[in-house]
Amino acid sequence: VWPESAIFHDRGFGPIPSKWRGGCENDAQFSSANCNRKLIGARYYIKGYLNAKKPLNFTATGDFLSARDKEGLGTHTLSTAGGNFVKNASIFGFGEGTAKGGAPGARVAAYKVCWAGGSCFDADILAGFDAGVYDGVDVFSVSLGSSPPLADYFQDGISIGAFHAVQRGRVVVCSAGNDGPDAGTVANVAPWIITAGASSIDRQFPSVAFLGNNRSYE
């Protein structure tokens, strides 16, 4: 997560619930001071990656040995799920309005389990699930997964971690992946997971290019 993003502001939020056992870990360019009453947790898990690969070169990859987001995907997906209201948002002036996530009144926590190059190892995924259950996460929003063909449920870290979370009364929502719309391309299909597919929108964001010969193209 990029905690400085305006969508994680905590205006209007009261004290953090006493049942919450999570927190924000202090490490590379991230500290507990980056969290607030909205963003109430930030942890990272890398032992699985380090056990399977060589040590990660943070200078070369630009990644952070912390819960800080390098590529923006974690910030994007966390804010889509639970981002707070942000007025006057736009994409370079297009679609101007108020941005928010699906549950703007929810508190959020980030669990970083993937590293440079999109490497996500089952050991780190399971560690993230275990920590979230212990911390008191009510709803897990998991925007990662494997491309088809899919592994058996008992060989898939997300399916296993989600099963244990659901066993303890938590809800697990996962992305269906980015490989459609061909048949057999949906990921995260275990029956105890709520699998959310992408959708289209009914708006266009046109832009006009003006050339030196006074012609224009949309």
Side-chain angles (χ1 to χ4, degrees):
V1 62
W2 197 265
E4 293 84 2
S5 174
I7 208 159
F8 301 121
H9 73 81
D10 64 354
R11 291 186 296 277
F13 279 80
I16 297 171
S18 58
K19 72 170 188 175
W20 177 248
R21 296 195 284 189
C24 294
E25 296 176 337
N26 297 300
D27 224 311
Q29 298 191 40
F30 207 108
S31 74
S32 57
N34 291 118
C35 291
N36 55 28
R37 292 171 298 179
K38 169 71 172 176
L39 178 61
I40 60 175
R43 301 188 187 277
Y44 68 96
Y45 300 91
I46 194 173
K47 289 182 179 179
Y49 178 98
L50 296 178
N51 186 60
K53 293 194 171 188
K54 296 179 180 178
L56 184 59
N57 188 328
F58 292 98
T59 301
T61 62
D63 209 338
F64 305 93
L65 186 60
S66 70
R68 184 168 287 278
D69 188 7
K70 171 185 178 286
E71 297 179 349
L73 178 64
T75 304
H76 153 58
T77 54
L78 186 62
S79 62
T80 299
N84 211 340
F85 293 96
V86 178
K87 295 181 179 180
N88 302 317
S90 70
I91 301 296
F92 303 113
F94 290 103
E96 187 172 352
T98 298
K100 73 176 186 67
R107 300 177 200 265
V108 296
Y111 295 82
K112 182 177 176 180
V113 300
C114 298
W115 300 90
S119 297
C120 316
F121 287 86
D122 281 351
D124 297 326
I125 293 170
L126 289 170
F129 268 114
D130 283 348
V133 169
Y134 175 83
D135 289 347
V137 170
D138 296 307
V139 179
F140 288 83
S141 178
V142 185
S143 290
L144 56 97
S146 301
S147 297
L150 303 181
D152 184 270
Y153 296 151
F154 302 105
Q155 297 176 328
D156 175 59
I158 295 177
S159 297
I160 296 168
F163 184 84
H164 286 283
V166 171
Q167 260 193 329
R168 287 158 178 78
R170 318 306 167 87
V171 175
V172 180
V173 183
C174 293
S175 58
N178 301 317
D179 294 309
D182 295 331
T185 55
V186 175
N188 297 321
V189 295
W192 47 88
I193 293 174
I194 297 174
T195 308
S199 64
S200 59
I201 59 174
D202 61 356
R203 292 188 294 170
Q204 293 181 327
F205 300 93
S207 184
V208 180
F210 295 96
L211 304 187
N213 60 3
N214 293 321
R215 299 189 69 177
S216 62
Y217 295 88
E218 184 178 279

